Amino acid sequence: MTPSTAAPRPVAVAAGLGTLLLAIPLLALLLDVPWIELPRLLTSTESLDALRVSGVVSLVAALLSVLLGVPLAYILARTDFPGRGIIRAIVTVPLILPPVVTGVALLSGFGRRGWMGDVFGFGLPLTTVGAILAATIVSMPFLILSVEGAFRSGDGRLEKMAHSLGAGPLETFWRVSVPVVRPSIVAGAVLAWARALGEFGATITFAGSVQGVTRTLPLEVVLAYEQDPERALALSVLLLAVSLSVLFALRDRFLPSR
Amino acid sequence: MTQLIASKLRFDRGDFCLDVDFTVSAGTSLAVIGANGSGKSSLIEGLAGFLEPSSGQITRPGGTVGYVPQDGLLIPHLSVRENVAFGKGITKSDLVKVIEDLRLRDLVDRIPGELSGGEQQRVALARALVRRPSLLLLDEPLSKVDAELRRLNRAVIRDWSSPRQIIIVVTHGPDHASECDLVLALEDGQAVALAPPGELSAAPPAPWIKQFFS
């Protein structure tokens, strides 16, 4: 335990302001929400459609992130080859790139007038698959970073032992490497899912906002705020509750006890 | 090939360097002795293929290699039985026998994290023996067990050995070293002696070797 010391006054004041800045909007939201109307607002057709689309999109995106991200994390952590730095950059870019830019890039790649349209004559915008693609791209880096660190902390001796006992490379990967980093895969998947659930910019740019097809909860919140602010508040508090649940589930990772 | 040949081997590990050059013929047991940091573990890891030599060549006898590292290196999420049976080339009867011989029967469903250090070493020993290796490499396999278990483990290793098996064992125990056919004494990464234990204890080439056997 770190010994507690008295912080200099300016530091304490700045820290207090920071806390207020973060707390005030959340508090205001909770006070604004029409709690009694909540069940009705959350079960309107539009809300239920958005819930369904968001559920499908975020879960499939998290699943794809695991299926593609775990092998990518393994390659980045355990192998050395020319061009690894470029792959690492490609993997990290969606973390810092404005999501709208990701959406525009997706249009160039998988839009009807992009490469995919040129080759196949159709694109993925305005489809649920398109929304899933956008969510996967922005969320997979969270999983990769979490799992890559775990793969990196192993020294490869267990794998060498498995190999010396007669296990092939694929059996070693499945029965030794992956189970050892399972806690990080779970944590990374939850993070990726939460990021996919909140995805807005890339989705609206690339997949558009079609009710029941691509209009996820965040898109519905923005739209509802124009017509029915109470419904926007209700959906917002739902997303807040989900976020708090994620924080609680991963508390050992984000809130280290002293 | 039935011999183990370590030809002009060199291992570089930062500022530490190990040089050895020896041949062990089939059916021979070799004890490796030396102070901590003398290179014993590096030698065993190198012979097991876990550490790449920076120069020289290792020729291993045909057949499987059984390696028992100091920390056991068990697969953490698999049960004791799954750990012992992991990989290829194991018969069911050998599996039953090794678990019985090393008194692991009550532990088979536990995972390594639930075992003591000594128990983990026994599981790692079982995993190596059950493959009936032509080359058995033991890195202080008895360091974490009490005297009675130490005797049991040594008896089990003897019992499972085949006439042509080569055993290399890193040990701090003079009685264990005395049971081997040859003793390799390491000092600061250099081999200072390679001789039968009787010869070494009768005419120790260095004070610490005299102390080791007394």
Side-chain angles (χ1 to χ4, degrees):
Chain A
M1 190 166 156
T2 328
S4 116
T5 53
R9 181 155 303 189
V11 174
V13 169
L17 280 174
T19 308
L20 277 180
L21 184 67
L22 295 167
I24 284 173
L26 293 178
L27 206 65
L29 170 67
L30 290 176
L31 291 176
D32 263 2
V33 171
W35 294 98
I36 296 168
E37 298 285 304
L38 214 56
R40 182 185 61 79
L41 293 166
L42 291 179
T43 51
S44 74
T45 315
E46 292 92 337
S47 297
L48 287 177
D49 274 349
L51 270 169
R52 187 173 48 78
V53 172
S54 259
V56 169
V57 167
S58 61
L59 287 174
V60 176
L63 187 70
L64 280 176
S65 294
V66 172
L67 290 179
L68 304 176
V70 171
L72 243 173
Y74 181 83
I75 297 285
L76 285 173
R78 291 286 178 83
T79 63
D80 203 9
F81 57 93
R84 202 176 62 110
I86 296 172
I87 293 189
R88 137 111 3 85
I90 292 172
V91 163
T92 320
V93 146
L95 281 178
I96 43 175
L97 196 69
V100 173
V101 178
T102 302
V104 172
L106 274 167
L107 282 171
S108 299
F110 302 107
R112 214 155 61 79
R113 289 184 207 149
W115 288 1
M116 190 174 163
D118 292 342
V119 177
F120 298 106
F122 69 96
L124 298 175
L126 309 181
T127 65
T128 306
V129 175
I132 289 169
L133 207 61
T136 306
I137 286 180
V138 295
S139 58
M140 193 160 67
F142 287 87
L143 179 122
I144 292 173
L145 288 187
S146 165
V147 179
E148 188 194 341
F151 274 136
R152 202 175 284 282
S153 66
D155 55 6
R157 282 175 80 229
L158 262 187
E159 281 85 355
K160 276 191 183 137
M161 179 55 86
H163 184 70
S164 84
L165 295 171
L170 196 62
E171 188 187 358
T172 302
F173 179 75
W174 273 118
R175 288 193 68 198
V176 179
S177 309
V178 169
V180 166
V181 302
R182 206 182 59 175
S184 294
I185 295 178
V186 173
V190 173
L191 273 181
W193 174 71
R195 175 65 187 87
L197 191 68
E199 163 44 36
F200 179 84
T203 308
I204 195 144
T205 312
F206 175 60
S209 177
V210 184
Q211 187 184 336
V213 182
T214 69
R215 191 179 299 152
T216 55
L217 282 170
L219 271 58
E220 183 65 33
V221 169
V222 172
L223 194 71
Y225 213 86
E226 311 273 308
Q227 307 150 355
D228 184 1
E230 290 206 325
R231 208 160 60 76
L233 286 168
L235 291 171
S236 296
V237 85
L238 179 71
L239 285 170
L240 176 63
V242 171
S243 303
L244 289 178
S245 312
V246 168
L247 188 62
F248 182 74
L250 299 181
R251 61 192 177 284
D252 294 337
R253 236 176 154 81
F254 293 134
L255 309 171
S257 53
R258 293 211 294 167
Chain B
M1 181 60 72
T2 57
Q3 294 171 308
L4 170 71
I5 307 171
S7 170
K8 297 194 177 88
L9 271 190
R10 163 166 283 202
F11 296 97
D12 280 307
R13 258 190 168 178
D15 53 1
F16 174 77
C17 190
L18 168 71
D19 287 290
V20 282
D21 186 87
F22 61 84
T23 300
V24 183
S25 44
T28 304
S29 56
L30 171 77
V32 182
I33 65 170
N36 288 327
S38 59
K40 306 186 300 292
S41 286
S42 297
L43 175 61
I44 286 278
E45 276 181 51
L47 294 176
F50 277 51
L51 190 64
E52 279 300 309
S54 38
S55 65
Q57 207 189 344
I58 303 170
T59 311
R60 297 181 185 85
T64 57
V65 176
Y67 172 39
V68 183
Q70 220 171 335
D71 57 358
L73 205 56
L74 301 174
I75 298 165
H77 51 274
L78 297 184
S79 70
V80 165
R81 184 189 283 110
E82 288 167 326
N83 261 288
V84 176
F86 190 91
K88 288 192 181 67
I90 301 153
T91 67
K92 182 121 196 209
S93 58
D94 275 354
L95 182 62
V96 172
K97 180 169 156 48
V98 84
I99 283 170
E100 198 63 36
D101 286 359
L102 282 166
R103 300 188 187 166
L104 295 171
R105 205 171 41 175
D106 296 337
L107 308 176
V108 285
D109 293 320
R110 303 223 197 136
I111 57 166
E114 298 166 345
L115 305 179
S116 69
E119 287 167 341
Q120 292 189 25
Q121 286 185 326
R122 262 150 65 206
V123 177
L125 181 60
R127 180 175 65 180
L129 291 179
V130 78
R131 266 149 254 277
R132 302 210 173 259
S134 54
L135 174 60
L136 181 59
L137 303 164
L138 308 163
D139 194 353
E140 299 192 58
L142 311 173
S143 61
K144 290 176 185 159
V145 296
D146 61 32
E148 192 207 327
L149 268 176
R150 213 171 295 176
R151 272 192 298 277
L152 165 83
N153 288 6
R154 284 209 321 256
V156 172
I157 294 170
R158 263 198 309 274
D159 188 33
W160 277 74
S161 69
S162 62
R164 305 196 65 75
Q165 186 179 48
I166 295 174
I167 303 178
I168 314 271
V169 54
V170 166
T171 182
H172 280 300
D175 46 346
H176 196 184
S178 300
E179 283 177 9
C180 294
D181 303 315
L182 287 170
V183 175
L184 173 68
L186 289 178
E187 199 178 318
D188 294 327
Q190 305 294 319
V192 289
L194 176 60
E199 227 170 87
L200 271 191
S201 56
W208 68 267
I209 298 176
K210 183 179 179 180
Q211 209 172 8
F212 179 88
F213 281 105
S214 64

